[in-house]
Structure formats: structure tokens, C-alpha cells
Amino acid sequence: GNSVTQMEGPVTLSEEAFLTINCTYTATGYPSLFWYVQYPGEGLQLLLKATKADDKGSNKGFEATYRKETTSFHLEKGSVQVSDSAVYFCALNWNQAGTALIFGKGTTLSVSS
Amino acid sequence: GAVVSQHPSRVICKSGTSVKIECRSLDFQATTMFWYRQFPKQSLMLMATSNEGSKATYEQGVEKDKFLINHASLTLSTLTVTSAHPEDSSFYICSAPDRVVNTEAFFGQGTRLTVV
């Protein structure tokens, strides 16, 4: 079946450190891939997405590249800030209207100054 | 951007009672809404798809009679956990698909339910 696997947390970093959160997926066909972020007390927000192989999604200094050959969509940021502390969810979806997302377990990131 | 409001954000209830969670689309109409549940250290799992004006579609293993879903209008879907038990304690979150970009969705803030 379709599934998303992302690295276990929590991830604890110092400010300005490099961040990688691994995400791999299992799916038939070519889904769209997403990273969502949930800040404390808020709902999930779309961080970035990629809809086809080799696409790179980017936003707020975060990047992720859709790698079909490794079925991966790893999230990276060169220099994290305290304000990046949140839970990050990798997800996939099919390019069909009204279909639900399939999520990974979420990775908690904690950045200290 | 579009906003989905979910209420309450936290609720504690006694075993055997029922709890209603509301999910509202504030500035757009949502003919479909999704309800997810997340147990500690687990994925957000789809429970059911709520359809305005018709019956909800439940995922395998989700009890229809326990998790009552009502989507009475284009801006409101409700999830009622009936006869709650401690094992129903979880994080519940709703979402509505973006009708412009049909692969994306807007999420509520989530509801932390604790049954004691």
C-alpha cells in the first residue's frame, strides 16, 4: 500500500545548524509530495511541495527534492532558527481533487539559541 | 489564505460521555472535509471523509456508530465521539481540500481529547 516513512524525532539542534529530516515513500504511480509544518498551538501549514520527479520545493529557507530513484523527499535547511521549532510532517497525495493526504509520523524539531 | 477553524482545541471528558468537535471553513465552501486521528508517535491516520449533504465515508476499522460525522452545511462538519473511552484519547484534526489547487488542503488546529 501507499505509505510515508520519516525519521524519528525529536531532533535537537543549535541555532544556525544544518537540518535534514529524512522522508521516503512507498507508492504506485507518481504522487505529489509535501512537507507540512505545525507550530505549537496551530494547525498544519503547507511548507513546500513537489509534484513530479526532480522538482525542488522551497520555502522559508527549507528545500526538498523529489527523488524518484530513491523514493525520497528529504527536508533540508542550511541554518535553522529558534522560530523553526515545530513538528514537521512529510505527506503524499494523488493528483485528484478531494483526495486525502497520507502522512508520515511527524518529526519534532527543537532549536535552541 | 483560506482558514479552517477547529473547536475545541482541548477537551477532557469522562468515560461514557460524548464529545463534539467542530470544523469550520471560514472563508470558503468545503463540500468535502477529512477527519484524521493521531496517536502518540504515530502518523496522522485518515478516519473518514465528510461529504456535505450525504453520508460520510469511513476508513476500514473506524466505527461509524462511535464516530458520528455530520456535514450539514458547506462550511461546517462535526465529529462526535460517542460513549468515549480512555482509548479514544487522541489528537483529532480536520482538513478541507483546496478547490483551486486540488492536491493541497487546509487544516484545523486540531483537538486534543483526553478521556478519563
Side-chain angles (χ1 to χ4, degrees), chain A residues 11-35:
Chain A
V11 174
T12 303
L13 295 174
S14 297
E15 209 165 23
E16 299 183 3
F18 185 86
L19 169 71
T20 299
I21 301 178
N22 290 338
C23 172
T24 58
Y25 68 91
T26 301
T28 54
Y30 304 98
S32 292
L33 301 174
F34 304 84
W35 277 100

Side-chain angles (χ1 to χ4, degrees), chain B residues 37-106:
Chain B
R37 177 173 58 187
Q38 184 183 32
F39 292 110
K41 300 188 178 183
Q42 301 295 317
S43 294
L44 283 157
M45 300 299 296
L46 180 66
M47 298 176 63
T49 302
S50 169
N51 302 298
E52 188 270 336
S54 64
K55 292 183 179 180
T57 305
Y58 290 81
E59 296 301 300
Q60 190 172 10
V62 178
E63 300 175 58
K64 304 178 183 182
D65 295 333
K66 181 166 189 61
F67 298 100
L68 300 180
I69 289 174
N70 187 300
H71 196 150
S73 77
L74 288 170
T75 59
L76 175 64
S77 175
T78 60
L79 168 67
T80 301
V81 183
T82 62
S83 187
H85 290 121
E87 56 265 33
D88 298 325
S89 298
S90 187
F91 184 72
Y92 295 85
I93 192 165
C94 65
S95 80
D98 184 340
R99 297 172 74 181
V100 175
V101 183
N102 62 33
T103 56
E104 297 182 19
F106 304 104

Side-chain angles (χ1 to χ4, degrees), chain A residues 17-78:
Chain A
F18 185 86
L19 169 71
T20 299
I21 301 178
N22 290 338
C23 172
T24 58
Y25 68 91
T26 301
T28 54
Y30 304 98
S32 292
L33 301 174
F34 304 84
W35 277 100
Y36 280 83
V37 59
Q38 185 176 32
Y39 298 104
E42 300 182 15
L44 272 69
Q45 302 172 23
L46 178 64
L47 180 60
L48 53 84
K49 69 173 184 178
T51 58
K52 61 182 187 294
D54 299 325
D55 267 3
K56 177 186 283 187
S58 61
N59 185 24
K60 299 181 181 179
F62 291 89
E63 293 183 342
T65 301
Y66 190 142
R67 300 287 187 199
K68 179 172 173 289
E69 63 276 14
T70 54
T71 62
S72 65
F73 194 54
H74 304 321
L75 182 68
E76 296 182 336
K77 186 173 185 180

